[in-house]
Amino acid sequence: MPHSTRRSPPNATPSPASRGDAARLAELDLATLPDDVAGQVRALASHEWHSPEAKAIYDQIARLLQREVLDAQFAGLAQALSGQDPEAMAAVRDMVADLNRLLSAHARGEDTTDLFREFMDKHGELFPESPQNVDELIDALARRQAAAARMMASLSPEQRQQLAQLLSDALADADLASEMAQLSDNLRALRPGLDRSSPAGMRPGGEPLGYRAAVEAVADLADLEALDAQLGQSYAGSSLDDVDVERLEEHLGGDAARDFEALRQLERELERQGYLSQGDDGLRLTPRAVRRLGETALKRVFEGLSAEGRGDHDDHRTGQADEPTGLTRAWQFGDEQPLDVVRTVSNALRRSGIHPGPVQLEVADFEVVETERRTTAAVALCVDMSFSMVNEGRWGPMKQTALALSHLVQTRFRQDALEIIGFTIAARRLTPVQLAEAEPEWVQGTNLQHALVLASRHLRRHPQAQPVVLVVTDGEPTAHLGDGGLPIFHWPTSQATLRATIAQVDELRRTGAALNVFMLGEDPGLARFVDAVARRAGGQVFTPSVDRLGEYVVSDYLRTRRGRRRAG
């Protein structure tokens, strides 16, 4: 810092001694400056400079600080204040005063269309955001004000005090400081919901930023936080219409914005077609959507079965309680199904051609209506919903399998009673809609025992039905219900959990239920456990790949029902 001195009396010529004393006093002033930057700036403001160059450097620093403070609130002021023209600062004071009058009129509910147009005509170059109305102007200003407040909240108390002093010194103009204070009050009143108190999570290190750049960085962070909340759709009444597409494009690019628009159009179309409904807790799948999901999943299952040549899932045998399948087939000796007269006559006409006289029928012309015998089954499908199913990519196939089986029962075997039971640390009954909407639960525990308890209750409610229990799991049981009915978790598997689970298997065995297990993965401990369960319950163990899980479960369900009919 160049040397400085205290001012001598007018027209007095300092003696060499006095010049030396002044220099020593100036050095003493500089040596006793406060340690903090804010204190140094304030102390030097009243310093009597000896060197014009030093005074010019200090004035430049003060103007730079002033521009940083004002440009943090008004994005276009840096260029306007780049020179030393006092008229530029006067223009800024007038702009802030005009802005406060506009915002006050808007807060009173007045029509500010003309006032806003006049304001932008006069001061529009200071607002590069080019707001189109008062609300957009308020949004832009409040965004920066909230960011400045959050940045201040991120500092330590000592840093906060120093920065507040610097900002106060930067606005040394009393009129401007008053107008800025009023502007802050107006913005807080007009946008009270903005976060102005949460720290921005700044950490030491990284590239240093000026005040203006730091405020803009915090504003960008706030935009990203808002986008995260909007896209997360985790609040009540949320919809994709809440997402700020302009902000999305600004921060994530045009491709992201276009993908989002396509997603929003898809959501609207699904709502229009009745697959989604908007409720207080957000979008919900409708029963129609769940039926469609189940239909699609079941179609894929049967396509897989046909491709693999794994048997026919229809049973053509008949009895007194038959129901038509909608298909016909050639008559065979001993068939008791009703004749399909239209198909039979059509076959004869195709064979002999159209001619006068009666139609001559032959044995090969006859077709009968295909029917299926409808025995009743009580089916409990127990599906593992623990977090390991998610980690290993088994969550989606599990849901598709359950929905496919549900759709099969609802459309082809309506007299059957299907209950879907999901289990983690505890088990619960699930409707098809609840299953379709179920999200992964990051909870440890595989409580197969509780699932089998619920399965037993379901079977007891249908004592005349054929009992069937299907279990889909990828891990050994690690939880069971204690004496108080609360789940107890222990990993690795404890003897208490194994005993409780096996006891429930024995209970199912006494009901005559067929208990078949579909084991996913290659866990040796699980393999030993399910083999023991199958032997004890008289059931079977299947080890399908994930992509063929649905085929195995649906085929086993159909095979079990056919086995029951054959036994009958």
mmCIF file of all heavy atoms in Angstrom, residues 111-156:
data_model
loop_
_atom_site.group_PDB
_atom_site.id
_atom_site.type_symbol
_atom_site.label_atom_id
_atom_site.label_comp_id
_atom_site.label_asym_id
_atom_site.label_seq_id
_atom_site.Cartn_x
_atom_site.Cartn_y
_atom_site.Cartn_z
ATOM 1 N N ASP A 111 -54.123 -2.711 -10.987
ATOM 2 C CA ASP A 111 -53.738 -3.122 -12.337
ATOM 3 C C ASP A 111 -52.434 -2.407 -12.696
ATOM 4 O O ASP A 111 -52.409 -1.183 -12.867
ATOM 5 C CB ASP A 111 -54.837 -2.753 -13.330
ATOM 6 C CG ASP A 111 -54.523 -3.253 -14.749
ATOM 7 O OD1 ASP A 111 -53.430 -3.843 -14.937
ATOM 8 O OD2 ASP A 111 -55.353 -3.045 -15.643
ATOM 9 N N THR A 112 -51.376 -3.172 -12.819
ATOM 10 C CA THR A 112 -50.046 -2.578 -13.043
ATOM 11 C C THR A 112 -49.534 -2.816 -14.458
ATOM 12 O O THR A 112 -48.338 -2.697 -14.713
ATOM 13 C CB THR A 112 -49.044 -3.165 -12.030
ATOM 14 O OG1 THR A 112 -49.047 -4.605 -12.152
ATOM 15 C CG2 THR A 112 -49.403 -2.786 -10.608
ATOM 16 N N THR A 113 -50.444 -3.142 -15.388
ATOM 17 C CA THR A 113 -50.001 -3.439 -16.754
ATOM 18 C C THR A 113 -49.274 -2.250 -17.380
ATOM 19 O O THR A 113 -48.161 -2.375 -17.899
ATOM 20 C CB THR A 113 -51.205 -3.839 -17.618
ATOM 21 O OG1 THR A 113 -51.889 -4.938 -17.017
ATOM 22 C CG2 THR A 113 -50.742 -4.230 -19.019
ATOM 23 N N ASP A 114 -49.907 -1.085 -17.308
ATOM 24 C CA ASP A 114 -49.290 0.105 -17.909
ATOM 25 C C ASP A 114 -48.049 0.539 -17.135
ATOM 26 O O ASP A 114 -47.040 0.931 -17.730
ATOM 27 C CB ASP A 114 -50.311 1.255 -17.946
ATOM 28 C CG ASP A 114 -51.462 0.964 -18.891
ATOM 29 O OD1 ASP A 114 -51.288 0.139 -19.804
ATOM 30 O OD2 ASP A 114 -52.558 1.542 -18.702
ATOM 31 N N LEU A 115 -48.129 0.432 -15.805
ATOM 32 C CA LEU A 115 -46.994 0.831 -14.988
ATOM 33 C C LEU A 115 -45.795 -0.068 -15.262
ATOM 34 O O LEU A 115 -44.645 0.389 -15.320
ATOM 35 C CB LEU A 115 -47.378 0.777 -13.506
ATOM 36 C CG LEU A 115 -46.438 1.456 -12.507
ATOM 37 C CD1 LEU A 115 -46.282 2.935 -12.837
ATOM 38 C CD2 LEU A 115 -46.972 1.279 -11.080
ATOM 39 N N PHE A 116 -46.041 -1.368 -15.453
ATOM 40 C CA PHE A 116 -44.954 -2.297 -15.760
ATOM 41 C C PHE A 116 -44.341 -1.970 -17.122
ATOM 42 O O PHE A 116 -43.114 -1.989 -17.283
ATOM 43 C CB PHE A 116 -45.477 -3.739 -15.758
ATOM 44 C CG PHE A 116 -44.502 -4.745 -16.285
ATOM 45 C CD1 PHE A 116 -43.418 -5.152 -15.526
ATOM 46 C CD2 PHE A 116 -44.652 -5.271 -17.570
ATOM 47 C CE1 PHE A 116 -42.506 -6.075 -16.021
ATOM 48 C CE2 PHE A 116 -43.755 -6.192 -18.073
ATOM 49 C CZ PHE A 116 -42.677 -6.592 -17.299
ATOM 50 N N ARG A 117 -45.194 -1.657 -18.105
ATOM 51 C CA ARG A 117 -44.682 -1.342 -19.433
ATOM 52 C C ARG A 117 -43.808 -0.088 -19.394
ATOM 53 O O ARG A 117 -42.735 -0.040 -20.001
ATOM 54 C CB ARG A 117 -45.845 -1.151 -20.399
ATOM 55 C CG ARG A 117 -45.407 -1.005 -21.855
ATOM 56 C CD ARG A 117 -46.584 -0.811 -22.793
ATOM 57 N NE ARG A 117 -47.534 -1.908 -22.684
ATOM 58 C CZ ARG A 117 -48.770 -1.783 -22.169
ATOM 59 N NH1 ARG A 117 -49.178 -0.612 -21.704
ATOM 60 N NH2 ARG A 117 -49.558 -2.823 -22.124
ATOM 61 N N GLU A 118 -44.254 0.910 -18.654
ATOM 62 C CA GLU A 118 -43.461 2.129 -18.523
ATOM 63 C C GLU A 118 -42.119 1.843 -17.834
ATOM 64 O O GLU A 118 -41.071 2.376 -18.230
ATOM 65 C CB GLU A 118 -44.238 3.180 -17.731
ATOM 66 C CG GLU A 118 -45.479 3.706 -18.444
ATOM 67 C CD GLU A 118 -46.302 4.619 -17.557
ATOM 68 O OE1 GLU A 118 -45.830 4.898 -16.417
ATOM 69 O OE2 GLU A 118 -47.391 5.036 -17.960
ATOM 70 N N PHE A 119 -42.162 1.013 -16.805
ATOM 71 C CA PHE A 119 -40.940 0.675 -16.076
ATOM 72 C C PHE A 119 -39.950 -0.027 -16.994
ATOM 73 O O PHE A 119 -38.748 0.290 -17.006
ATOM 74 C CB PHE A 119 -41.281 -0.210 -14.878
ATOM 75 C CG PHE A 119 -40.074 -0.679 -14.103
ATOM 76 C CD1 PHE A 119 -39.502 0.134 -13.142
ATOM 77 C CD2 PHE A 119 -39.501 -1.919 -14.357
ATOM 78 C CE1 PHE A 119 -38.374 -0.289 -12.431
ATOM 79 C CE2 PHE A 119 -38.396 -2.349 -13.661
ATOM 80 C CZ PHE A 119 -37.833 -1.532 -12.698
ATOM 81 N N MET A 120 -40.409 -0.987 -17.795
ATOM 82 C CA MET A 120 -39.504 -1.732 -18.665
ATOM 83 C C MET A 120 -38.992 -0.854 -19.804
ATOM 84 O O MET A 120 -37.841 -1.014 -20.242
ATOM 85 C CB MET A 120 -40.208 -2.972 -19.216
ATOM 86 C CG MET A 120 -40.510 -4.034 -18.162
ATOM 87 S SD MET A 120 -39.033 -4.605 -17.261
ATOM 88 C CE MET A 120 -38.126 -5.412 -18.581
ATOM 89 N N ASP A 121 -39.821 0.044 -20.292
ATOM 90 C CA ASP A 121 -39.346 0.966 -21.333
ATOM 91 C C ASP A 121 -38.204 1.840 -20.816
ATOM 92 O O ASP A 121 -37.271 2.164 -21.558
ATOM 93 C CB ASP A 121 -40.491 1.855 -21.816
ATOM 94 C CG ASP A 121 -41.515 1.082 -22.639
ATOM 95 O OD1 ASP A 121 -41.180 -0.018 -23.106
ATOM 96 O OD2 ASP A 121 -42.661 1.569 -22.783
ATOM 97 N N LYS A 122 -38.274 2.176 -19.546
ATOM 98 C CA LYS A 122 -37.284 3.074 -18.957
ATOM 99 C C LYS A 122 -36.056 2.331 -18.449
ATOM 100 O O LYS A 122 -34.912 2.815 -18.588
ATOM 101 C CB LYS A 122 -37.934 3.853 -17.813
ATOM 102 C CG LYS A 122 -37.047 4.922 -17.187
ATOM 103 C CD LYS A 122 -37.816 5.682 -16.114
ATOM 104 C CE LYS A 122 -36.947 6.750 -15.453
ATOM 105 N NZ LYS A 122 -37.709 7.470 -14.369
ATOM 106 N N HIS A 123 -36.265 1.171 -17.866
ATOM 107 C CA HIS A 123 -35.148 0.470 -17.200
ATOM 108 C C HIS A 123 -34.928 -0.957 -17.727
ATOM 109 O O HIS A 123 -34.199 -1.732 -17.097
ATOM 110 C CB HIS A 123 -35.406 0.380 -15.686
ATOM 111 C CG HIS A 123 -35.705 1.686 -15.036
ATOM 112 N ND1 HIS A 123 -34.781 2.698 -14.925
ATOM 113 C CD2 HIS A 123 -36.852 2.151 -14.456
ATOM 114 C CE1 HIS A 123 -35.318 3.728 -14.298
ATOM 115 N NE2 HIS A 123 -36.583 3.436 -14.003
ATOM 116 N N GLY A 124 -35.532 -1.324 -18.824
ATOM 117 C CA GLY A 124 -35.490 -2.720 -19.277
ATOM 118 C C GLY A 124 -34.099 -3.254 -19.528
ATOM 119 O O GLY A 124 -33.858 -4.457 -19.373
ATOM 120 N N GLU A 125 -33.132 -2.365 -19.899
ATOM 121 C CA GLU A 125 -31.783 -2.866 -20.190
ATOM 122 C C GLU A 125 -31.089 -3.410 -18.949
ATOM 123 O O GLU A 125 -30.082 -4.121 -19.059
ATOM 124 C CB GLU A 125 -30.935 -1.742 -20.808
ATOM 125 C CG GLU A 125 -30.542 -0.623 -19.847
ATOM 126 C CD GLU A 125 -31.636 0.419 -19.658
ATOM 127 O OE1 GLU A 125 -32.709 0.242 -20.284
ATOM 128 O OE2 GLU A 125 -31.422 1.392 -18.920
ATOM 129 N N LEU A 126 -31.600 -3.100 -17.776
ATOM 130 C CA LEU A 126 -31.001 -3.593 -16.536
ATOM 131 C C LEU A 126 -31.519 -4.987 -16.157
ATOM 132 O O LEU A 126 -31.086 -5.545 -15.143
ATOM 133 C CB LEU A 126 -31.280 -2.616 -15.390
ATOM 134 C CG LEU A 126 -30.765 -1.184 -15.597
ATOM 135 C CD1 LEU A 126 -31.118 -0.322 -14.402
ATOM 136 C CD2 LEU A 126 -29.267 -1.181 -15.827
ATOM 137 N N PHE A 127 -32.444 -5.543 -16.960
ATOM 138 C CA PHE A 127 -33.051 -6.838 -16.634
ATOM 139 C C PHE A 127 -32.908 -7.775 -17.835
ATOM 140 O O PHE A 127 -33.802 -7.872 -18.678
ATOM 141 C CB PHE A 127 -34.525 -6.655 -16.261
ATOM 142 C CG PHE A 127 -34.723 -5.803 -15.047
ATOM 143 C CD1 PHE A 127 -34.886 -4.422 -15.165
ATOM 144 C CD2 PHE A 127 -34.714 -6.360 -13.775
ATOM 145 C CE1 PHE A 127 -35.043 -3.627 -14.051
ATOM 146 C CE2 PHE A 127 -34.882 -5.569 -12.653
ATOM 147 C CZ PHE A 127 -35.038 -4.200 -12.789
ATOM 148 N N PRO A 128 -31.769 -8.463 -17.945
ATOM 149 C CA PRO A 128 -31.533 -9.352 -19.096
ATOM 150 C C PRO A 128 -32.494 -10.535 -19.148
ATOM 151 O O PRO A 128 -32.583 -11.202 -20.179
ATOM 152 C CB PRO A 128 -30.085 -9.816 -18.880
ATOM 153 C CG PRO A 128 -29.824 -9.648 -17.425
ATOM 154 C CD PRO A 128 -30.631 -8.454 -16.998
ATOM 155 N N GLU A 129 -33.201 -10.815 -18.057
ATOM 156 C CA GLU A 129 -34.167 -11.916 -18.076
ATOM 157 C C GLU A 129 -35.358 -11.612 -18.969
ATOM 158 O O GLU A 129 -36.120 -12.513 -19.325
ATOM 159 C CB GLU A 129 -34.679 -12.227 -16.666
ATOM 160 C CG GLU A 129 -33.603 -12.614 -15.674
ATOM 161 C CD GLU A 129 -33.102 -11.417 -14.863
ATOM 162 O OE1 GLU A 129 -33.351 -10.258 -15.307
ATOM 163 O OE2 GLU A 129 -32.486 -11.628 -13.805
ATOM 164 N N SER A 130 -35.549 -10.312 -19.326
ATOM 165 C CA SER A 130 -36.663 -9.862 -20.169
ATOM 166 C C SER A 130 -38.009 -10.364 -19.655
ATOM 167 O O SER A 130 -38.730 -11.083 -20.358
ATOM 168 C CB SER A 130 -36.455 -10.335 -21.619
ATOM 169 O OG SER A 130 -35.272 -9.796 -22.150
ATOM 170 N N PRO A 131 -38.372 -10.011 -18.426
ATOM 171 C CA PRO A 131 -39.678 -10.449 -17.907
ATOM 172 C C PRO A 131 -40.817 -9.864 -18.739
ATOM 173 O O PRO A 131 -40.739 -8.739 -19.214
ATOM 174 C CB PRO A 131 -39.689 -9.896 -16.475
ATOM 175 C CG PRO A 131 -38.721 -8.758 -16.499
ATOM 176 C CD PRO A 131 -37.660 -9.130 -17.474
ATOM 177 N N GLN A 132 -41.884 -10.650 -18.905
ATOM 178 C CA GLN A 132 -43.014 -10.235 -19.729
ATOM 179 C C GLN A 132 -44.149 -9.636 -18.920
ATOM 180 O O GLN A 132 -45.076 -9.059 -19.482
ATOM 181 C CB GLN A 132 -43.538 -11.440 -20.524
ATOM 182 C CG GLN A 132 -42.499 -12.062 -21.440
ATOM 183 C CD GLN A 132 -41.954 -11.068 -22.454
ATOM 184 O OE1 GLN A 132 -42.734 -10.442 -23.186
ATOM 185 N NE2 GLN A 132 -40.627 -10.908 -22.499
ATOM 186 N N ASN A 133 -44.094 -9.765 -17.608
ATOM 187 C CA ASN A 133 -45.129 -9.185 -16.763
ATOM 188 C C ASN A 133 -44.555 -8.985 -15.368
ATOM 189 O O ASN A 133 -43.398 -9.354 -15.086
ATOM 190 C CB ASN A 133 -46.387 -10.079 -16.720
ATOM 191 C CG ASN A 133 -46.051 -11.518 -16.375
ATOM 192 O OD1 ASN A 133 -45.419 -11.795 -15.362
ATOM 193 N ND2 ASN A 133 -46.459 -12.439 -17.246
ATOM 194 N N VAL A 134 -45.369 -8.415 -14.489
ATOM 195 C CA VAL A 134 -44.887 -8.095 -13.145
ATOM 196 C C VAL A 134 -44.504 -9.355 -12.383
ATOM 197 O O VAL A 134 -43.492 -9.383 -11.661
ATOM 198 C CB VAL A 134 -45.960 -7.293 -12.370
ATOM 199 C CG1 VAL A 134 -45.481 -7.012 -10.949
ATOM 200 C CG2 VAL A 134 -46.270 -5.998 -13.085
ATOM 201 N N ASP A 135 -45.285 -10.416 -12.531
ATOM 202 C CA ASP A 135 -44.990 -11.638 -11.782
ATOM 203 C C ASP A 135 -43.647 -12.229 -12.189
ATOM 204 O O ASP A 135 -42.888 -12.711 -11.335
ATOM 205 C CB ASP A 135 -46.107 -12.667 -11.991
ATOM 206 C CG ASP A 135 -47.357 -12.333 -11.192
ATOM 207 O OD1 ASP A 135 -47.206 -11.952 -10.016
ATOM 208 O OD2 ASP A 135 -48.461 -12.430 -11.748
ATOM 209 N N GLU A 136 -43.335 -12.217 -13.475
ATOM 210 C CA GLU A 136 -42.035 -12.734 -13.902
ATOM 211 C C GLU A 136 -40.901 -11.856 -13.373
ATOM 212 O O GLU A 136 -39.832 -12.368 -13.012
ATOM 213 C CB GLU A 136 -41.986 -12.805 -15.435
ATOM 214 C CG GLU A 136 -42.868 -13.889 -16.027
ATOM 215 C CD GLU A 136 -42.677 -14.032 -17.523
ATOM 216 O OE1 GLU A 136 -41.730 -13.403 -18.060
ATOM 217 O OE2 GLU A 136 -43.458 -14.772 -18.151
ATOM 218 N N LEU A 137 -41.129 -10.571 -13.322
ATOM 219 C CA LEU A 137 -40.126 -9.663 -12.758
ATOM 220 C C LEU A 137 -39.901 -9.959 -11.277
ATOM 221 O O LEU A 137 -38.756 -10.050 -10.805
ATOM 222 C CB LEU A 137 -40.580 -8.214 -12.947
ATOM 223 C CG LEU A 137 -39.698 -7.126 -12.305
ATOM 224 C CD1 LEU A 137 -38.306 -7.135 -12.913
ATOM 225 C CD2 LEU A 137 -40.352 -5.752 -12.446
ATOM 226 N N ILE A 138 -40.999 -10.149 -10.547
ATOM 227 C CA ILE A 138 -40.891 -10.455 -9.109
ATOM 228 C C ILE A 138 -40.184 -11.794 -8.908
ATOM 229 O O ILE A 138 -39.329 -11.935 -8.029
ATOM 230 C CB ILE A 138 -42.286 -10.469 -8.462
ATOM 231 C CG1 ILE A 138 -42.891 -9.062 -8.501
ATOM 232 C CG2 ILE A 138 -42.220 -10.979 -7.029
ATOM 233 C CD1 ILE A 138 -44.339 -9.021 -8.067
ATOM 234 N N ASP A 139 -40.521 -12.776 -9.733
ATOM 235 C CA ASP A 139 -39.881 -14.095 -9.603
ATOM 236 C C ASP A 139 -38.367 -13.985 -9.776
ATOM 237 O O ASP A 139 -37.595 -14.594 -9.024
ATOM 238 C CB ASP A 139 -40.454 -15.059 -10.644
ATOM 239 C CG ASP A 139 -41.871 -15.505 -10.324
ATOM 240 O OD1 ASP A 139 -42.268 -15.388 -9.145
ATOM 241 O OD2 ASP A 139 -42.579 -15.951 -11.244
ATOM 242 N N ALA A 140 -37.921 -13.228 -10.784
ATOM 243 C CA ALA A 140 -36.482 -13.103 -11.038
ATOM 244 C C ALA A 140 -35.774 -12.410 -9.881
ATOM 245 O O ALA A 140 -34.697 -12.843 -9.434
ATOM 246 C CB ALA A 140 -36.256 -12.333 -12.335
ATOM 247 N N LEU A 141 -36.387 -11.326 -9.364
ATOM 248 C CA LEU A 141 -35.761 -10.584 -8.262
ATOM 249 C C LEU A 141 -35.778 -11.390 -6.969
ATOM 250 O O LEU A 141 -34.790 -11.430 -6.226
ATOM 251 C CB LEU A 141 -36.489 -9.252 -8.063
ATOM 252 C CG LEU A 141 -36.357 -8.239 -9.216
ATOM 253 C CD1 LEU A 141 -37.294 -7.060 -8.987
ATOM 254 C CD2 LEU A 141 -34.917 -7.758 -9.346
ATOM 255 N N ALA A 142 -36.921 -12.034 -6.683
ATOM 256 C CA ALA A 142 -37.031 -12.808 -5.435
ATOM 257 C C ALA A 142 -36.095 -14.008 -5.450
ATOM 258 O O ALA A 142 -35.572 -14.413 -4.405
ATOM 259 C CB ALA A 142 -38.476 -13.258 -5.230
ATOM 260 N N ARG A 143 -35.876 -14.595 -6.624
ATOM 261 C CA ARG A 143 -34.945 -15.721 -6.734
ATOM 262 C C ARG A 143 -33.554 -15.309 -6.281
ATOM 263 O O ARG A 143 -32.895 -16.032 -5.518
ATOM 264 C CB ARG A 143 -34.921 -16.199 -8.185
ATOM 265 C CG ARG A 143 -33.846 -17.218 -8.527
ATOM 266 C CD ARG A 143 -33.939 -17.613 -9.995
ATOM 267 N NE ARG A 143 -32.875 -18.522 -10.378
ATOM 268 C CZ ARG A 143 -31.696 -18.142 -10.868
ATOM 269 N NH1 ARG A 143 -31.428 -16.838 -11.021
ATOM 270 N NH2 ARG A 143 -30.776 -19.044 -11.197
ATOM 271 N N ARG A 144 -33.091 -14.133 -6.741
ATOM 272 C CA ARG A 144 -31.757 -13.679 -6.363
ATOM 273 C C ARG A 144 -31.712 -13.250 -4.895
ATOM 274 O O ARG A 144 -30.719 -13.509 -4.204
ATOM 275 C CB ARG A 144 -31.346 -12.505 -7.258
ATOM 276 C CG ARG A 144 -31.021 -12.917 -8.686
ATOM 277 C CD ARG A 144 -30.804 -11.704 -9.583
ATOM 278 N NE ARG A 144 -30.248 -12.113 -10.868
ATOM 279 C CZ ARG A 144 -28.955 -12.186 -11.133
ATOM 280 N NH1 ARG A 144 -28.076 -11.859 -10.211
ATOM 281 N NH2 ARG A 144 -28.528 -12.572 -12.315
ATOM 282 N N GLN A 145 -32.770 -12.613 -4.432
ATOM 283 C CA GLN A 145 -32.777 -12.188 -3.029
ATOM 284 C C GLN A 145 -32.732 -13.399 -2.093
ATOM 285 O O GLN A 145 -31.986 -13.419 -1.105
ATOM 286 C CB GLN A 145 -34.032 -11.358 -2.741
ATOM 287 C CG GLN A 145 -34.099 -10.843 -1.309
ATOM 288 C CD GLN A 145 -35.525 -10.838 -0.778
ATOM 289 O OE1 GLN A 145 -36.312 -11.712 -1.082
ATOM 290 N NE2 GLN A 145 -35.827 -9.830 0.022
ATOM 291 N N ALA A 146 -33.529 -14.425 -2.406
ATOM 292 C CA ALA A 146 -33.530 -15.630 -1.575
ATOM 293 C C ALA A 146 -32.172 -16.318 -1.605
ATOM 294 O O ALA A 146 -31.694 -16.840 -0.590
ATOM 295 C CB ALA A 146 -34.626 -16.585 -2.050
ATOM 296 N N ALA A 147 -31.527 -16.326 -2.781
ATOM 297 C CA ALA A 147 -30.199 -16.946 -2.879
ATOM 298 C C ALA A 147 -29.186 -16.202 -2.024
ATOM 299 O O ALA A 147 -28.336 -16.824 -1.362
ATOM 300 C CB ALA A 147 -29.757 -16.978 -4.341
ATOM 301 N N ALA A 148 -29.259 -14.866 -2.029
ATOM 302 C CA ALA A 148 -28.336 -14.085 -1.195
ATOM 303 C C ALA A 148 -28.549 -14.384 0.284
ATOM 304 O O ALA A 148 -27.588 -14.507 1.054
ATOM 305 C CB ALA A 148 -28.529 -12.595 -1.467
ATOM 306 N N ALA A 149 -29.814 -14.522 0.687
ATOM 307 C CA ALA A 149 -30.107 -14.833 2.091
ATOM 308 C C ALA A 149 -29.596 -16.230 2.456
ATOM 309 O O ALA A 149 -29.050 -16.444 3.542
ATOM 310 C CB ALA A 149 -31.606 -14.723 2.341
ATOM 311 N N ARG A 150 -29.765 -17.206 1.560
ATOM 312 C CA ARG A 150 -29.288 -18.560 1.844
ATOM 313 C C ARG A 150 -27.761 -18.614 1.897
ATOM 314 O O ARG A 150 -27.193 -19.356 2.697
ATOM 315 C CB ARG A 150 -29.806 -19.527 0.778
ATOM 316 C CG ARG A 150 -31.281 -19.843 0.882
ATOM 317 C CD ARG A 150 -31.660 -20.982 -0.039
ATOM 318 N NE ARG A 150 -30.970 -22.209 0.329
ATOM 319 C CZ ARG A 150 -31.023 -23.337 -0.377
ATOM 320 N NH1 ARG A 150 -31.713 -23.356 -1.507
ATOM 321 N NH2 ARG A 150 -30.388 -24.411 0.009
ATOM 322 N N MET A 151 -27.115 -17.842 1.023
ATOM 323 C CA MET A 151 -25.659 -17.806 1.070
ATOM 324 C C MET A 151 -25.180 -17.234 2.399
ATOM 325 O O MET A 151 -24.236 -17.736 3.014
ATOM 326 C CB MET A 151 -25.105 -16.983 -0.086
ATOM 327 C CG MET A 151 -23.593 -17.150 -0.263
ATOM 328 S SD MET A 151 -22.851 -15.814 -1.180
ATOM 329 C CE MET A 151 -23.010 -14.469 -0.044
ATOM 330 N N MET A 152 -25.856 -16.170 2.858
ATOM 331 C CA MET A 152 -25.502 -15.577 4.145
ATOM 332 C C MET A 152 -25.705 -16.595 5.271
ATOM 333 O O MET A 152 -24.889 -16.688 6.192
ATOM 334 C CB MET A 152 -26.357 -14.331 4.392
ATOM 335 C CG MET A 152 -25.958 -13.529 5.612
ATOM 336 S SD MET A 152 -24.416 -12.595 5.389
ATOM 337 C CE MET A 152 -25.035 -11.199 4.443
ATOM 338 N N ALA A 153 -26.795 -17.375 5.189
ATOM 339 C CA ALA A 153 -27.070 -18.378 6.218
ATOM 340 C C ALA A 153 -26.054 -19.512 6.220
ATOM 341 O O ALA A 153 -25.931 -20.245 7.203
ATOM 342 C CB ALA A 153 -28.473 -18.944 6.027
ATOM 343 N N SER A 154 -25.324 -19.675 5.106
ATOM 344 C CA SER A 154 -24.341 -20.750 5.010
ATOM 345 C C SER A 154 -23.016 -20.400 5.662
ATOM 346 O O SER A 154 -22.167 -21.274 5.833
ATOM 347 C CB SER A 154 -24.100 -21.091 3.532
ATOM 348 O OG SER A 154 -25.311 -21.406 2.880
ATOM 349 N N LEU A 155 -22.822 -19.125 6.019
ATOM 350 C CA LEU A 155 -21.556 -18.680 6.585
ATOM 351 C C LEU A 155 -21.516 -18.892 8.092
ATOM 352 O O LEU A 155 -22.548 -19.045 8.748
ATOM 353 C CB LEU A 155 -21.341 -17.204 6.266
ATOM 354 C CG LEU A 155 -21.372 -16.812 4.778
ATOM 355 C CD1 LEU A 155 -21.240 -15.301 4.636
ATOM 356 C CD2 LEU A 155 -20.271 -17.531 4.008
ATOM 357 N N SER A 156 -20.315 -18.857 8.633
ATOM 358 C CA SER A 156 -20.167 -18.889 10.083
ATOM 359 C C SER A 156 -20.624 -17.549 10.648
ATOM 360 O O SER A 156 -20.711 -16.547 9.923
ATOM 361 C CB SER A 156 -18.708 -19.143 10.460
ATOM 362 O OG SER A 156 -17.903 -18.030 10.079
#
